Amino acid sequence: MLRGSASCYCGCLEGILTLKPMADRVLVKIQSVEEKTVGGILLPSSAQSKPQGGEVVAVGDGRIIGDKKIEVGVQTGKNIVYSKYAGTEIDFNGVSHLLLKEDDIVGILETDDIKDLQPLNDRVLIKVAEAEGKTAGGVLLTDSAKEKPVIGTVSAVGPGTLGEDGTRKALDIAVGNTVMYSKYAGSEFKSADGTQYIVVKASDVLAVLA
């Protein structure tokens, strides 16, 4: 069930003191939604951005791959970023939480700036190249007319994918590589200084550019 249906859980969890996620699932306390713009203007609920981060408050015992038990790769107390439409939203002890699978976690964020994100598993953090502001003929383009950039520089990479035997394989992508990625892939973010970043799965990286 997606987070849009979360309201049906509110009554069910009243009086529940603990919630233990199963297998590779993680319970996250959602960050509050920002209610004001940078200029201090109060935003209506419809204009508020969906939060995509929170604090891990409980984790499952892990999963079995092959003959190996793979523990969840995040610990309680860590701040994480997750995929925008991931998980099941619940009201637990009067606080909004999200119950999601580990694979829906984009990465661990130790600071308040997305540029410091440490991706998990097969994900890659890319600093997006600026979109071209002019056509080949020198005509200045408006923002809405600019082509979506699909090239960037790798800022961080995850530890790699897990094979069927539970062994982790490192990615064939390195920090500093200039890469081309699928146009509509991943989750987009903006750092504190306004720089655009995107986190994609390694399978969405089409090529490494020399």
Side-chain angles (χ1 to χ4, degrees), residues 26-153:
V26 177
L27 181 65
V28 179
K29 182 169 70 174
I30 300 174
Q31 290 177 344
S32 60
V33 181
E34 186 59 57
E35 296 182 348
K36 292 185 178 181
T37 65
V38 175
I41 300 173
L42 191 64
L43 299 175
S45 297
S46 60
Q48 293 173 10
S49 299
K50 273 282 189 180
Q52 283 183 251
E55 179 187 349
V56 176
V57 295
V59 299
D61 293 326
R63 52 184 168 148
I64 303 295
I65 300 180
D67 59 354
K68 294 183 179 180
K69 182 177 181 179
I70 309 298
E71 294 184 353
V72 176
V74 295
Q75 296 80 41
T76 57
K78 292 291 186 181
N79 290 317
I80 63 164
V81 175
Y82 48 82
S83 299
K84 189 171 184 179
Y85 298 107
T88 300
E89 191 172 332
I90 56 178
D91 190 336
F92 179 49
N93 291 333
V95 180
S96 293
H97 287 73
L98 193 67
L99 189 61
L100 72 168
K101 298 188 72 173
E102 181 186 8
D103 192 52
D104 289 322
I105 299 174
V106 172
I108 298 172
L109 190 59
E110 301 284 4
T111 71
D112 293 329
D113 200 334
I114 197 67
K115 70 179 179 62
D116 299 318
L117 180 80
Q118 179 53 57
L120 292 184
N121 299 315
D122 61 341
R123 285 183 167 84
V124 181
L125 176 66
I126 299 171
K127 181 180 178 182
V128 179
E130 291 186 12
E132 277 296 328
K134 292 183 179 181
T135 66
V139 178
L140 190 66
L141 299 177
T142 62
D143 288 339
S144 60
K146 293 179 183 178
E147 182 69 15
K148 180 180 172 69
V150 291
I151 293 175
T153 303

Side-chain angles (χ1 to χ4, degrees), residues 147-168:
E147 182 69 15
K148 180 180 172 69
V150 291
I151 293 175
T153 303
V154 176
S155 297
V157 298
T161 56
L162 287 170
E164 294 182 357
D165 61 352
T167 302
R168 194 174 292 278

